[in-house]
Amino acid sequence: MSKIGKINIAIPDKVKVALAGNILNIEGPLGKKTLDIDMNIFNLEIKEGKEITIKPKKIDQDTKRLWGMKRSLINNAVIGSSTGYEKTLELVGVGYRAAIKENKLNLQLGYSHDINFDIPEGIKIVVEKQTVVKVSGSDKQQVGMVVSKIKAFRKPEPYKGKGIREQGQYILRKEG
């Protein structure tokens, strides 16, 4: 039995969930999300618009794996459309700074040139201070991918700890 799959998904008041054939439509104040669910494998119940239950029709090794994953994808879509996801990045290093110019994130990271990162649709990037960047959006996977791409421009190095890191991320430091 999947421990994650057994848990029911609570639907907030602002979110509307509708099942049309194999497509699950989730609509909330922050956006829409559609998920494809294989109804040959799973039974999906929406109880009075308050919670979603997903169960496999027969339990074997493959459906156990898919059960927890599908439940997590549905839960992430519900949370994303109601409250959204946010990650905070810190730029650590002398002269490292960020700014928003038009629809691009301009990063100065100690290279001989500035890095201009195109902000994808559905993602909102806010530069609070010159060294603090907040990335937010309704799709958890897309927010994580954008943060990962930005972090890849200058990975934190272990000697001085310079680079781009997530807020609260621990950097294993080495002696010089």
Side-chain angles (χ1 to χ4, degrees):
M1 295 293 279
S2 172
K3 291 180 183 178
I4 293 171
K6 284 191 269 185
I7 304 168
N8 292 344
I9 302 163
I11 302 172
D13 295 334
K14 302 175 245 170
V15 178
K16 291 181 177 65
V17 179
L19 184 66
N22 283 355
I23 308 281
L24 183 69
N25 294 314
I26 300 166
E27 191 174 335
L30 294 180
K32 294 180 191 175
K33 181 83 174 170
T34 57
L35 293 170
D36 189 36
I37 292 166
D38 191 355
M39 297 309 271
N40 297 330
I41 300 173
F42 296 107
N43 285 328
L44 191 87
E45 291 179 38
I46 302 168
K47 296 177 184 167
E48 301 169 15
K50 297 288 182 200
E51 65 179 16
I52 302 171
T53 305
I54 186 166
K55 288 195 169 117
K57 290 186 176 175
K58 70 173 188 146
I59 295 175
D60 59 10
Q61 282 301 116
D62 293 331
T63 56
K64 274 198 252 181
R65 288 188 204 113
L66 291 172
W67 187 12
M69 184 190 72
K70 279 292 181 195
R71 188 251 175 224
S72 292
L73 290 174
I74 295 168
N75 190 40
N76 289 344
V78 168
I79 292 170
S81 62
S82 64
T83 58
Y85 290 97
E86 182 178 88
K87 289 194 176 192
T88 306
L89 296 173
E90 296 172 338
L91 281 66
V92 179
V94 177
Y96 289 15
R97 57 180 73 95
I100 300 276
K101 291 183 180 172
E102 291 150 28
N103 196 25
K104 295 180 187 235
L105 176 66
N106 179 272
L107 297 167
Q108 295 174 350
L109 300 172
Y111 295 118
S112 61
H113 59 282
D114 290 2
I115 297 168
N116 290 317
F117 179 75
D118 292 321
I119 300 171
E121 245 179 74
I123 295 292
K124 185 179 172 199
I125 296 180
V126 177
V127 177
E128 287 189 340
K129 295 186 228 165
Q130 289 184 335
T131 58
V132 177
V133 179
K134 284 198 171 180
V135 180
S136 59
S138 64
D139 189 355
K140 186 177 186 177
Q141 192 260 338
Q142 190 180 19
V143 170
M145 282 297 294
V146 168
V147 166
S148 175
K149 286 177 184 174
I150 293 171
K151 282 170 58 176
F153 291 130
R154 184 68 101 171
K155 293 180 181 157
E157 52 100 11
Y159 296 102
K160 291 184 180 176
K162 293 165 71 171
I164 303 173
R165 66 175 86 161
E166 285 186 49
Q167 193 173 38
Q169 179 182 349
Y170 178 74
I171 305 299
L172 186 67
R173 300 290 289 270
K174 294 181 181 177
E175 275 187 44

